[in-house]
Amino acid sequence: MPTKDEVETARRQIERLSDQCEADLRELIRLAEGGALKGPEGDKLSADMRQWERDTKNYFRAALDTLHNLPVSEVSP
């Protein structure tokens, strides 16, 4: 059973990764929608990246929800 400190460390790591991933995807979307790729392929890639952005938010949210629901030990082993 994880300790409160371990769960808190995992939460911070998940939040950091979530923020980093979201920023990276936003930058890619900005580039694609700013004209870096033109035509139907560019439009498809932009739409795909927007879906990836939604999906990754959901994955990180699910990970945080899982952590929130974990039983934790009050004392370190």
Coordinates of all heavy atoms in Angstrom, one line a residue:
M1 N 0.9 -1.2 0.0 CA 0.0 0.0 0.0 C 0.9 1.2 0.0 O 1.8 1.3 0.8 CB -0.9 0.0 1.3 CG -1.8 1.1 1.3 SD -2.9 1.1 2.8 CE -3.6 -0.5 2.8
P2 N 0.6 2.2 -0.9 CA 1.5 3.4 -1.0 C 1.2 4.3 0.2 O 0.2 4.3 0.8 CB 1.1 4.0 -2.3 CG -0.3 3.6 -2.5 CD -0.4 2.2 -1.9
T3 N 2.3 5.1 0.5 CA 2.1 6.1 1.6 C 1.5 7.4 1.0 O 1.5 7.5 -0.2 CB 3.5 6.4 2.2 OG1 4.3 7.1 1.2 CG2 4.1 5.2 2.8
K4 N 1.1 8.2 1.9 CA 0.5 9.5 1.4 C 1.6 10.3 0.6 O 1.3 10.9 -0.4 CB 0.1 10.4 2.6 CG -1.2 10.0 3.2 CD -1.6 11.0 4.3 CE -3.0 10.7 4.8 NZ -3.4 11.7 5.8
D5 N 2.8 10.2 1.1 CA 3.9 10.9 0.4 C 4.1 10.3 -1.0 O 4.4 11.1 -2.0 CB 5.2 10.8 1.2 CG 5.2 11.7 2.4 OD1 4.4 12.6 2.5 OD2 6.0 11.4 3.3
E6 N 4.1 9.0 -1.2 CA 4.3 8.4 -2.5 C 3.1 8.8 -3.4 O 3.4 9.1 -4.6 CB 4.3 6.9 -2.3 CG 5.6 6.4 -1.7 CD 5.6 4.9 -1.3 OE1 4.5 4.4 -1.0 OE2 6.6 4.3 -1.3
V7 N 1.9 8.8 -2.9 CA 0.8 9.2 -3.7 C 0.9 10.7 -4.1 O 0.7 11.1 -5.3 CB -0.6 9.0 -3.0 CG1 -1.7 9.6 -3.7 CG2 -0.8 7.5 -2.8
E8 N 1.3 11.5 -3.2 CA 1.5 12.9 -3.5 C 2.6 13.1 -4.5 O 2.5 14.0 -5.5 CB 1.8 13.7 -2.2 CG 2.0 15.2 -2.4 CD 0.7 15.9 -2.9 OE1 -0.4 15.4 -2.8 OE2 0.9 17.0 -3.5
T9 N 3.7 12.4 -4.4 CA 4.8 12.5 -5.4 C 4.3 12.0 -6.8 O 4.5 12.7 -7.8 CB 6.0 11.6 -5.0 OG1 6.5 12.1 -3.7 CG2 7.1 11.6 -6.0
A10 N 3.5 11.0 -6.8 CA 2.9 10.5 -8.1 C 2.0 11.5 -8.7 O 2.0 11.8 -9.9 CB 2.2 9.2 -7.9
R11 N 1.2 12.2 -7.8 CA 0.2 13.2 -8.3 C 1.0 14.3 -8.9 O 0.6 14.8 -10.0 CB -0.6 13.7 -7.1 CG -1.7 14.7 -7.6 CD -2.3 15.4 -6.4 NE -1.3 16.2 -5.6 CZ -0.8 17.3 -6.0 NH1 -1.1 17.9 -7.1 NH2 0.1 17.9 -5.1
R12 N 2.0 14.8 -8.3 CA 2.8 15.9 -8.8 C 3.4 15.5 -10.2 O 3.4 16.3 -11.1 CB 3.9 16.4 -7.9 CG 3.3 17.2 -6.7 CD 4.4 17.9 -5.9 NE 5.5 17.0 -5.4 CZ 5.5 16.3 -4.3 NH1 4.5 16.5 -3.4 NH2 6.5 15.5 -4.0
Q13 N 3.9 14.3 -10.3 CA 4.5 13.9 -11.5 C 3.5 13.8 -12.6 O 3.7 14.2 -13.8 CB 5.2 12.5 -11.3 CG 5.8 11.9 -12.5 CD 7.1 12.5 -12.9 OE1 7.5 13.5 -12.4 NE2 7.8 12.0 -13.9
I14 N 2.3 13.2 -12.4 CA 1.3 13.1 -13.4 C 0.8 14.5 -13.8 O 0.7 14.8 -15.0 CB 0.1 12.3 -12.8 CG1 0.4 10.9 -12.7 CG2 -1.2 12.5 -13.7 CD1 -0.6 10.0 -11.9
E15 N 0.7 15.5 -12.9 CA 0.3 16.8 -13.2 C 1.4 17.5 -14.1 O 1.1 18.2 -15.0 CB 0.0 17.6 -12.0 CG -1.3 17.2 -11.3 CD -1.5 17.9 -10.0 OE1 -0.6 18.6 -9.4 OE2 -2.7 17.9 -9.5
R16 N 2.7 17.3 -13.8 CA 3.8 17.8 -14.5 C 3.7 17.3 -16.0 O 3.8 18.0 -16.9 CB 5.1 17.5 -13.9 CG 6.3 18.2 -14.6 CD 7.6 17.8 -14.0 NE 7.9 16.4 -14.2 CZ 8.3 15.8 -15.3 NH1 8.4 16.6 -16.4 NH2 8.5 14.5 -15.4
L17 N 3.6 16.0 -16.1 CA 3.5 15.3 -17.4 C 2.3 15.8 -18.2 O 2.4 16.0 -19.4 CB 3.5 13.8 -17.3 CG 4.8 13.2 -16.8 CD1 4.6 11.7 -16.4 CD2 5.9 13.4 -17.8
S18 N 1.2 15.9 -17.5 CA 0.0 16.4 -18.2 C 0.2 17.8 -18.7 O -0.1 18.1 -19.9 CB -1.2 16.4 -17.2 OG -2.3 17.0 -17.8
D19 N 0.8 18.7 -17.9 CA 1.0 20.1 -18.4 C 2.0 20.1 -19.6 O 1.8 20.8 -20.5 CB 1.6 20.9 -17.2 CG 0.6 21.2 -16.1 OD1 -0.6 21.0 -16.4 OD2 1.0 21.6 -15.0
Q20 N 3.0 19.3 -19.5 CA 4.0 19.2 -20.5 C 3.4 18.7 -21.8 O 3.6 19.3 -22.9 CB 5.2 18.4 -20.1 CG 6.3 18.2 -21.1 CD 7.4 17.3 -20.6 OE1 7.5 17.0 -19.4 NE2 8.2 16.9 -21.5
C21 N 2.7 17.6 -21.7 CA 2.0 17.0 -22.9 C 1.0 18.0 -23.5 O 1.0 18.2 -24.8 CB 1.4 15.7 -22.5 SG 0.6 14.8 -23.9
E22 N 0.2 18.7 -22.7 CA -0.7 19.6 -23.2 C -0.1 20.8 -23.9 O -0.5 21.2 -25.0 CB -1.6 20.1 -22.1 CG -2.7 21.0 -22.5 CD -3.7 21.4 -21.4 OE1 -3.6 20.8 -20.3 OE2 -4.4 22.4 -21.6
A23 N 1.0 21.3 -23.4 CA 1.7 22.4 -24.0 C 2.3 22.0 -25.3 O 2.3 22.7 -26.3 CB 2.8 22.9 -23.1
D24 N 2.9 20.7 -25.4 CA 3.5 20.2 -26.6 C 2.4 20.1 -27.7 O 2.6 20.5 -28.8 CB 4.2 18.9 -26.4 CG 5.5 19.1 -25.6 OD1 6.0 20.2 -25.4 OD2 6.0 18.0 -25.1
L25 N 1.3 19.5 -27.3 CA 0.2 19.3 -28.3 C -0.3 20.6 -28.8 O -0.6 20.8 -30.0 CB -0.9 18.4 -27.7 CG -0.6 16.9 -27.7 CD1 -1.7 16.2 -26.9 CD2 -0.6 16.4 -29.2
R26 N -0.5 21.6 -27.9 CA -1.0 22.9 -28.3 C 0.0 23.6 -29.3 O -0.5 24.2 -30.2 CB -1.2 23.8 -27.0 CG -2.6 23.8 -26.5 CD -2.8 24.8 -25.4 NE -2.3 24.1 -24.2 CZ -1.6 24.7 -23.2 NH1 -1.4 26.0 -23.2 NH2 -1.2 24.0 -22.2
E27 N 1.3 23.4 -29.1 CA 2.2 24.0 -30.0 C 2.1 23.3 -31.4 O 2.2 24.0 -32.4 CB 3.6 23.9 -29.4 CG 4.7 24.5 -30.3 CD 4.6 26.0 -30.6 OE1 3.9 26.6 -29.8 OE2 5.3 26.4 -31.5
L28 N 2.0 22.0 -31.4 CA 1.9 21.3 -32.6 C 0.6 21.7 -33.4 O 0.6 21.9 -34.6 CB 1.9 19.8 -32.4 CG 3.2 19.2 -32.0 CD1 3.0 17.7 -31.6 CD2 4.2 19.3 -33.2
I29 N -0.5 21.9 -32.6 CA -1.8 22.3 -33.2 C -1.6 23.7 -33.8 O -2.1 24.0 -34.9 CB -2.9 22.2 -32.2 CG1 -3.2 20.7 -31.9 CG2 -4.1 22.9 -32.7 CD1 -4.1 20.5 -30.6
R30 N -1.0 24.6 -33.0 CA -0.8 25.9 -33.5 C 0.0 26.0 -34.8 O -0.3 26.7 -35.7 CB 0.0 26.8 -32.4 CG 0.1 28.2 -32.8 CD 1.1 28.9 -31.8 NE 2.4 28.5 -31.9 CZ 3.3 28.8 -32.9 NH1 2.9 29.6 -33.9 NH2 4.5 28.4 -32.9
L31 N 1.1 25.2 -34.9 CA 1.9 25.1 -36.1 C 1.0 24.6 -37.3 O 1.1 25.1 -38.4 CB 3.1 24.2 -35.9 CG 4.2 24.8 -35.0 CD1 5.2 23.7 -34.7 CD2 4.8 26.0 -35.7
A32 N 0.3 23.5 -37.0 CA -0.5 22.9 -38.1 C -1.6 23.8 -38.6 O -1.8 24.0 -39.8 CB -1.1 21.5 -37.7
E33 N -2.3 24.4 -37.6 CA -3.4 25.3 -38.0 C -2.9 26.7 -38.5 O -3.6 27.4 -39.1 CB -4.3 25.5 -36.8 CG -5.1 24.2 -36.6 CD -6.0 24.3 -35.4 OE1 -6.0 25.3 -34.7 OE2 -6.8 23.3 -35.3
G34 N -1.6 27.0 -38.2 CA -1.0 28.2 -38.7 C -0.5 28.2 -40.1 O 0.1 29.1 -40.6
G35 N -0.7 27.0 -40.8 CA -0.3 26.9 -42.2 C 0.9 26.1 -42.4 O 1.4 26.0 -43.5
A36 N 1.5 25.4 -41.4 CA 2.7 24.6 -41.6 C 2.4 23.4 -42.5 O 3.2 23.0 -43.3 CB 3.2 24.1 -40.3
L37 N 1.1 23.0 -42.5 CA 0.7 21.9 -43.4 C -0.6 22.4 -44.0 O -1.5 22.8 -43.3 CB 0.4 20.6 -42.7 CG 1.6 20.0 -42.0 CD1 1.2 18.8 -41.1 CD2 2.6 19.5 -43.0
K38 N -0.7 22.3 -45.3 CA -1.9 22.8 -46.0 C -2.6 21.7 -46.7 O -2.1 20.6 -46.9 CB -1.4 23.8 -47.1 CG -0.7 25.0 -46.5 CD -0.7 26.2 -47.5 CE 0.1 27.3 -46.9 NZ -0.6 28.1 -46.0
G39 N -3.9 21.9 -47.0 CA -4.7 21.0 -47.7 C -5.4 20.0 -46.8 O -5.3 20.1 -45.5
P40 N -6.0 19.0 -47.4 CA -6.7 18.0 -46.6 C -5.9 17.3 -45.6 O -6.4 16.9 -44.5 CB -7.3 17.0 -47.6 CG -7.2 17.7 -48.9 CD -6.1 18.8 -48.8
E41 N -4.6 17.0 -45.9 CA -3.8 16.3 -45.0 C -3.5 17.1 -43.7 O -3.5 16.6 -42.6 CB -2.4 15.9 -45.6 CG -2.5 14.9 -46.7 CD -2.9 15.5 -48.1 OE1 -2.9 16.7 -48.2 OE2 -3.3 14.7 -49.0
G42 N -3.3 18.4 -43.9 CA -3.1 19.3 -42.8 C -4.3 19.4 -41.9 O -4.2 19.5 -40.7
D43 N -5.5 19.5 -42.6 CA -6.7 19.6 -41.8 C -7.0 18.3 -41.0 O -7.4 18.4 -39.9 CB -7.9 19.8 -42.8 CG -7.8 21.1 -43.5 OD1 -7.1 22.1 -43.0 OD2 -8.5 21.3 -44.5
K44 N -6.7 17.2 -41.6 CA -6.8 15.9 -40.9 C -5.9 15.8 -39.8 O -6.3 15.4 -38.7 CB -6.6 14.7 -41.9 CG -6.4 13.4 -41.3 CD -7.6 12.5 -41.5 CE -7.4 11.1 -41.0 NZ -7.4 10.9 -39.6
L45 N -4.6 16.2 -40.0 CA -3.7 16.2 -38.9 C -4.1 17.1 -37.7 O -4.0 16.7 -36.5 CB -2.3 16.5 -39.3 CG -1.2 16.5 -38.3 CD1 -1.1 15.1 -37.7 CD2 0.1 16.9 -38.9
S46 N -4.6 18.3 -38.0 CA -5.1 19.2 -37.0 C -6.2 18.6 -36.2 O -6.3 18.6 -35.0 CB -5.5 20.5 -37.6 OG -4.4 21.2 -38.1
A47 N -7.2 18.0 -36.9 CA -8.3 17.3 -36.3 C -7.8 16.2 -35.4 O -8.3 16.0 -34.3 CB -9.3 16.9 -37.3
D48 N -6.9 15.4 -35.9 CA -6.4 14.3 -35.1 C -5.7 14.8 -33.9 O -5.9 14.2 -32.8 CB -5.4 13.4 -36.0 CG -6.0 12.6 -37.0 OD1 -7.3 12.5 -37.0 OD2 -5.3 12.1 -37.9
M49 N -4.9 15.8 -34.0 CA -4.2 16.3 -32.8 C -5.1 16.9 -31.8 O -4.9 16.8 -30.6 CB -3.1 17.4 -33.2 CG -1.9 16.7 -33.9 SD -0.6 17.9 -34.2 CE -1.2 18.9 -35.5
R50 N -6.2 17.5 -32.2 CA -7.2 18.0 -31.3 C -7.8 16.8 -30.5 O -8.1 16.9 -29.3 CB -8.3 18.8 -32.0 CG -7.8 20.1 -32.5 CD -8.7 21.3 -32.0 NE -8.1 22.5 -32.5 CZ -7.5 23.4 -31.6 NH1 -7.4 23.1 -30.4 NH2 -7.0 24.5 -32.1
Q51 N -8.1 15.7 -31.2 CA -8.6 14.5 -30.6 C -7.6 13.9 -29.6 O -7.9 13.5 -28.5 CB -9.0 13.4 -31.6 CG -9.7 12.2 -31.0 CD -10.9 12.6 -30.2 OE1 -11.8 13.2 -30.7 NE2 -11.0 12.1 -29.0
W52 N -6.3 13.9 -30.0 CA -5.2 13.5 -29.1 C -5.2 14.3 -27.8 O -5.0 13.8 -26.7 CB -3.9 13.5 -29.8 CG -3.7 12.7 -31.0 CD1 -4.4 11.6 -31.4 CD2 -2.7 12.9 -32.0 NE1 -4.0 11.1 -32.6 CE2 -2.9 11.9 -33.0 CE3 -1.7 13.8 -32.2 CZ2 -2.2 11.7 -34.1 CZ3 -0.9 13.7 -33.4 CH2 -1.2 12.7 -34.3
E53 N -5.4 15.6 -28.0 CA -5.4 16.5 -26.9 C -6.5 16.2 -25.9 O -6.3 16.1 -24.7 CB -5.5 18.0 -27.3 CG -5.5 19.0 -26.2 CD -5.6 20.4 -26.8 OE1 -6.4 20.6 -27.8 OE2 -5.0 21.3 -26.2
R54 N -7.7 15.9 -26.4 CA -8.8 15.5 -25.6 C -8.6 14.2 -24.9 O -8.8 14.0 -23.7 CB -10.1 15.5 -26.4 CG -10.7 16.8 -26.8 CD -12.0 16.7 -27.5 NE -12.0 16.1 -28.8 CZ -11.7 16.7 -29.9 NH1 -11.5 18.0 -29.9 NH2 -11.7 16.0 -31.0
D55 N -8.0 13.2 -25.7 CA -7.8 11.9 -25.1 C -6.7 11.9 -24.0 O -6.9 11.3 -23.0 CB -7.3 10.9 -26.2 CG -8.4 10.6 -27.2 OD1 -9.6 10.8 -27.0 OD2 -8.1 10.1 -28.3
T56 N -5.6 12.7 -24.2 CA -4.6 12.7 -23.2 C -5.1 13.4 -22.0 O -4.8 12.9 -20.8 CB -3.3 13.4 -23.7 OG1 -3.6 14.7 -24.2 CG2 -2.6 12.5 -24.8
K57 N -5.9 14.4 -22.1 CA -6.5 15.0 -20.9 C -7.3 14.0 -20.1 O -7.2 13.9 -18.9 CB -7.4 16.2 -21.3 CG -6.7 17.5 -21.6 CD -7.7 18.6 -21.9 CE -6.9 19.9 -22.3 NZ -7.8 21.0 -22.5
N58 N -8.1 13.2 -20.8 CA -8.9 12.2 -20.2 C -8.0 11.1 -19.5 O -8.3 10.6 -18.4 CB -9.8 11.5 -21.2 CG -11.0 12.4 -21.6 OD1 -11.3 13.4 -20.8 ND2 -11.5 12.2 -22.8
Y59 N -6.9 10.7 -20.2 CA -6.0 9.7 -19.6 C -5.4 10.2 -18.3 O -5.3 9.5 -17.3 CB -4.9 9.3 -20.6 CG -5.4 8.6 -21.8 CD1 -4.8 8.9 -23.0 CD2 -6.5 7.7 -21.8 CE1 -5.3 8.3 -24.2 CE2 -6.9 7.1 -22.9 CZ -6.3 7.4 -24.1 OH -6.8 6.8 -25.3
F60 N -4.9 11.5 -18.3 CA -4.3 12.0 -17.1 C -5.3 12.2 -16.0 O -5.0 12.0 -14.9 CB -3.5 13.3 -17.5 CG -2.2 13.1 -18.2 CD1 -2.0 13.7 -19.4 CD2 -1.2 12.5 -17.6 CE1 -0.8 13.5 -20.1 CE2 0.0 12.3 -18.2 CZ 0.2 12.8 -19.5
R61 N -6.5 12.6 -16.4 CA -7.5 12.8 -15.4 C -7.9 11.5 -14.7 O -8.1 11.4 -13.5 CB -8.8 13.4 -16.0 CG -9.8 13.8 -15.0 CD -11.0 14.6 -15.7 NE -10.6 15.8 -16.4 CZ -10.7 16.0 -17.7 NH1 -11.3 15.1 -18.5 NH2 -10.3 17.1 -18.3
A62 N -7.9 10.4 -15.6 CA -8.2 9.1 -15.0 C -7.1 8.6 -14.1 O -7.4 8.0 -13.1 CB -8.4 8.1 -16.2
A63 N -5.9 8.9 -14.5 CA -4.7 8.5 -13.6 C -4.8 9.3 -12.2 O -4.6 8.7 -11.2 CB -3.4 8.9 -14.3
L64 N -5.2 10.5 -12.3 CA -5.3 11.3 -11.0 C -6.5 10.8 -10.2 O -6.4 10.7 -9.0 CB -5.5 12.8 -11.3 CG -4.2 13.5 -11.8 CD1 -4.6 14.9 -12.3 CD2 -3.2 13.5 -10.8
D65 N -7.6 10.4 -10.9 CA -8.7 9.8 -10.2 C -8.4 8.5 -9.5 O -8.8 8.2 -8.4 CB -9.9 9.6 -11.1 CG -10.6 10.9 -11.6 OD1 -10.3 11.9 -11.0 OD2 -11.4 10.8 -12.6
T66 N -7.6 7.7 -10.2 CA -7.1 6.4 -9.6 C -6.3 6.7 -8.4 O -6.5 6.0 -7.4 CB -6.3 5.6 -10.7 OG1 -7.1 5.4 -11.8 CG2 -5.8 4.4 -10.1
L67 N -5.4 7.6 -8.5 CA -4.6 8.0 -7.3 C -5.4 8.4 -6.1 O -5.2 8.1 -5.0 CB -3.6 9.1 -7.6 CG -2.3 8.7 -8.3 CD1 -1.4 9.9 -8.5 CD2 -1.5 7.7 -7.5
H68 N -6.4 9.3 -6.4 CA -7.3 9.8 -5.4 C -8.0 8.7 -4.7 O -8.3 8.8 -3.5 CB -8.3 10.8 -6.1 CG -9.2 11.4 -5.1 ND1 -8.9 12.3 -4.2 CD2 -10.6 11.2 -4.9 CE1 -9.9 12.7 -3.4 NE2 -11.0 12.0 -3.9
N69 N -8.3 7.6 -5.4 CA -9.1 6.5 -4.8 C -8.3 5.4 -4.2 O -8.8 4.5 -3.7 CB -10.1 6.0 -5.9 CG -11.1 7.0 -6.3 OD1 -11.7 7.6 -5.4 ND2 -11.4 7.1 -7.6
L70 N -7.0 5.6 -4.2 CA -6.1 4.5 -3.7 C -6.1 4.6 -2.1 O -6.1 5.6 -1.5 CB -4.6 4.8 -4.1 CG -4.2 4.3 -5.4 CD1 -2.7 4.7 -5.6 CD2 -4.3 2.8 -5.6
P71 N -6.2 3.4 -1.5 CA -6.0 3.4 -0.1 C -4.5 3.7 0.2 O -3.6 3.2 -0.5 CB -6.4 1.9 0.3 CG -6.2 1.1 -0.9 CD -6.4 2.1 -2.1
V72 N -4.3 4.5 1.2 CA -2.9 4.9 1.5 C -2.6 4.5 3.0 O -3.4 4.5 3.8 CB -2.7 6.4 1.3 CG1 -2.8 6.7 -0.2 CG2 -3.6 7.2 2.1
S73 N -1.3 4.3 3.2 CA -0.8 4.0 4.5 C -0.4 5.3 5.1 O 0.2 6.2 4.5 CB 0.4 3.1 4.4 OG 1.1 3.0 5.6
E74 N -0.7 5.5 6.4 CA -0.4 6.7 7.1 C 1.1 6.8 7.5 O 1.7 7.8 7.7 CB -1.2 6.8 8.4 CG -2.7 6.9 8.1 CD -3.1 8.3 7.5 OE1 -2.5 9.3 7.8 OE2 -4.0 8.2 6.7
V75 N 1.7 5.6 7.5 CA 3.1 5.5 8.0 C 4.0 4.9 6.9 O 3.6 4.0 6.2 CB 3.2 4.6 9.3 CG1 4.6 4.6 9.8 CG2 2.3 5.1 10.3
S76 N 5.2 5.5 6.7 CA 6.1 4.9 5.8 C 6.6 3.6 6.2 O 6.7 3.3 7.4 CB 7.3 5.8 5.6 OG 6.9 7.1 5.1
P77 N 6.8 2.6 5.3 CA 7.3 1.3 5.7 C 8.6 1.3 6.3 O 9.4 2.1 6.3 CB 7.3 0.5 4.4 CG 7.1 1.5 3.3 CD 6.7 2.8 3.9

